[in-house]
Amino acid sequence: MSDLPFYNAGLRFSCTRCSSCCRLESGYVYLSENDLSRLANEFKMSYTAFIQTWCRWIPFDWDSERLSLKEKSNFDCIFWNDHCTVYQFRPLQCRTFPFWDNVLCSPEAWENTGMGCPGINSGELHSREKMEDLLRQMGEELVIERKITRIGGV
């Protein structure tokens, strides 16, 4: 067996801006400090005001929460309105899709993601190095997390 990943020769993907990854299905868009800074600056808001207006805290494990963008009641991203209204300032999680570790873990995961995304397996050829650089960025640019205290230590 080869130690090379299935994407060693590269994978094709070009965003068609279809918004299938942004709409109609519940999910979380976690924010890093860089994401928060970029978006708050674009909206000319303080971090606190931006978080109160556009974000929510999502339970992560027994003693922490992660900062995520809100969703509309139909599960669309809060910034989707016939298109991504913050496309050039979108979070790293959005910018690196579909090159996430849970999508690049196997050919089956890649193909399953492709069932909902017309950009997968078409368009630009992304090298293994490019994909691994995106994975590295995701690993280095940590999402904002805060500790929570449970009442009674439970």
Side-chain angles (χ1 to χ4, degrees):
M1 281 198 67
S2 172
D3 287 337
L4 299 175
F6 81 93
Y7 56 85
N8 189 58
L11 293 171
R12 292 200 176 275
F13 172 75
S14 288
C15 181
T16 65
R17 294 196 182 188
C18 72
S19 301
S20 65
C21 58
C22 312
R23 310 186 56 230
L24 306 174
E25 191 174 320
S26 185
Y28 306 119
V29 178
Y30 294 118
L31 300 179
S32 69
E33 290 287 343
N34 288 338
D35 296 329
L36 179 58
S37 177
R38 209 172 22 260
L39 288 163
N41 287 337
E42 174 62 17
F43 282 86
K44 297 176 178 37
M45 299 172 82
S46 70
Y47 281 20
T48 302
F50 185 87
I51 290 169
Q52 290 173 343
T53 305
W54 302 107
C55 299
R56 61 189 171 150
W57 288 99
I58 304 298
F60 179 64
D61 57 25
W62 71 276
D63 70 344
S64 67
E65 299 173 313
R66 289 186 167 182
L67 188 65
S68 175
L69 292 177
K70 289 181 180 177
E71 292 177 329
K72 297 178 184 176
S73 60
N74 66 351
F75 302 123
D76 287 359
C77 174
I78 196 72
F79 291 124
W80 195 89
N81 186 14
D82 292 327
H83 66 282
C84 177
T85 60
V86 296
Y87 191 82
Q88 79 181 91
F89 304 102
R90 69 196 185 282
L92 180 64
Q93 180 179 328
C94 302
R95 287 183 280 126
T96 58
F97 179 83
F99 304 112
W100 299 344
D101 56 359
N102 66 324
V103 176
L104 295 177
C105 65
S106 71
E108 296 79 20
W110 176 258
E111 292 302 326
N112 287 339
T113 302
M115 287 187 233
C117 176
I120 289 183
N121 293 327
S122 66
E124 181 182 351
L125 179 65
H126 297 267
S127 69
R128 172 185 174 181
E129 293 77 21
K130 168 74 174 184
M131 289 180 274
E132 289 177 351
D133 183 53
L134 294 172
L135 290 170
R136 181 193 52 73
Q137 286 178 45
M138 290 287 289
E140 289 176 357
E141 197 168 311
L142 302 177
V143 299
I144 298 169
E145 194 170 307
R146 69 179 181 186
K147 295 291 183 189
I148 55 174
T149 303
R150 303 230 181 243
I151 298 173
V154 179

